[in-house]
Amino acid sequence: MTFIIAIDGPAAAGKGTLSRRIAEEYGFHHLDTGLTYRATAKALLDSGLPLDDEAVAEKMAREVELAGLDRSVLSAHAIGEAASKIAVMPAVRRALVEAQRAFSLREPGTVLDGRDIGTVVCPGAPVKLYVTASPEVRAKRRYDEIIGNGQPADYAAIFEDVKKRDERDMGRADSPLRPAEDAHLLDTSEMSIEAAFQGAKSLIDAALIKKI
């Protein structure tokens, strides 16, 4: 039997950093499910295919190789914009959710992070975390990250982008972003990644003991 940890939350809340740290701590497989949408979008862009053809996008989604997702390549802004267009397509979501569920069954355990893991992809996960932070804090983190990479950044524009993305994620009809009813809330607005990790670790350890 595998052990699944589902981590959801809005952009730049710290769930990716936390998820990778948890996976490393427990020797579990990690999947950033947002990258599966970005990989599908990149495949469409690379092939010069339209972003508004659901059947074509679904075909590409079913061909995505989850083992070879390169965060550094897939984090490009243009890919993110394209991914947001195909992510609202029900057929694309169905195809990628199937692949994500299959990934979640890998032994000895998995950590999946995204927008709908605890509510849609793995609703039976024994540990569900909802990682959030205020829009202001998340925009500042994104701003600092871009500046840290030597790129120019505009905080006001990033803040507006964060709010718009929240509205889009929380307002979509198919799998909107929201905490699962049994998810543990981690607000990282004034919490270090170490404090968030220790909080998550205590919940995971308790669930693992219960499973034995």
Side-chain angles (χ1 to χ4, degrees):
M1 285 288 288
T2 191
F3 188 88
I4 303 168
I5 300 168
I7 303 183
D8 292 304
K15 68 181 183 297
T17 304
L18 182 63
S19 299
R20 290 190 293 276
R21 177 86 187 271
I22 290 169
E24 188 179 338
E25 172 74 14
Y26 293 94
F28 287 178
H29 303 279
H30 171 248
L31 178 64
D32 175 346
T33 59
L35 293 183
T36 65
Y37 292 92
R38 285 174 172 264
T40 303
K42 183 177 186 297
L44 290 165
L45 292 171
D46 288 350
S47 302
L49 294 168
L51 295 172
D52 57 358
D53 188 323
E54 191 165 351
V56 171
E58 180 193 6
K59 181 175 182 296
M60 284 297 188
R62 293 194 179 280
E63 293 172 3
V64 167
E65 180 49 63
L66 300 193
L69 302 175
D70 188 335
R71 173 182 306 280
S72 60
V73 171
L74 296 173
S75 62
H77 183 72
I79 293 175
E81 288 297 300
S84 71
K85 291 174 183 170
I86 62 159
V88 298
M89 298 175 174
V92 171
R93 298 197 72 83
R94 277 196 303 273
L96 292 177
V97 164
E98 281 175 28
Q100 293 158 14
R101 279 185 184 142
F103 180 96
S104 77
L105 300 177
R106 294 184 183 187
E107 295 183 344
T110 52
V111 182
L112 282 77
D113 74 79
R115 302 286 193 278
D116 60 352
I117 311 304
T119 53
V120 175
V121 182
C122 301
V127 176
K128 297 177 189 174
L129 304 173
Y130 189 84
V131 183
T132 188
S134 71
E136 292 81 5
V137 166
R138 290 186 285 124
K140 179 69 166 59
R141 286 176 185 164
R142 180 72 34 99
Y143 172 85
D144 289 344
E145 183 184 4
I146 295 169
I147 294 293
N149 289 332
Q151 302 291 322
D154 177 343
Y155 173 80
I158 293 169
F159 179 64
E160 285 306 314
D161 187 54
V162 164
K163 287 201 298 181
K164 256 189 267 179
R165 189 161 174 188
D166 285 352
E167 286 168 14
R168 189 167 63 218
D169 288 341
M170 295 173 185
R172 67 175 177 235
D174 192 0
S175 308
L177 169 64
R178 60 181 174 80
E181 286 183 10
D182 54 347
H184 298 275
L185 183 69
L186 280 177
D187 189 326
T188 66
S189 297
E190 297 180 18
M191 188 188 288
S192 69
I193 190 64
E194 182 60 30
F197 170 72
Q198 292 301 333
K201 187 175 184 301
S202 64
L203 293 166
I204 296 162
D205 288 345
L208 282 166
I209 289 168
K210 202 180 290 184
K211 189 190 174 205
I212 293 169

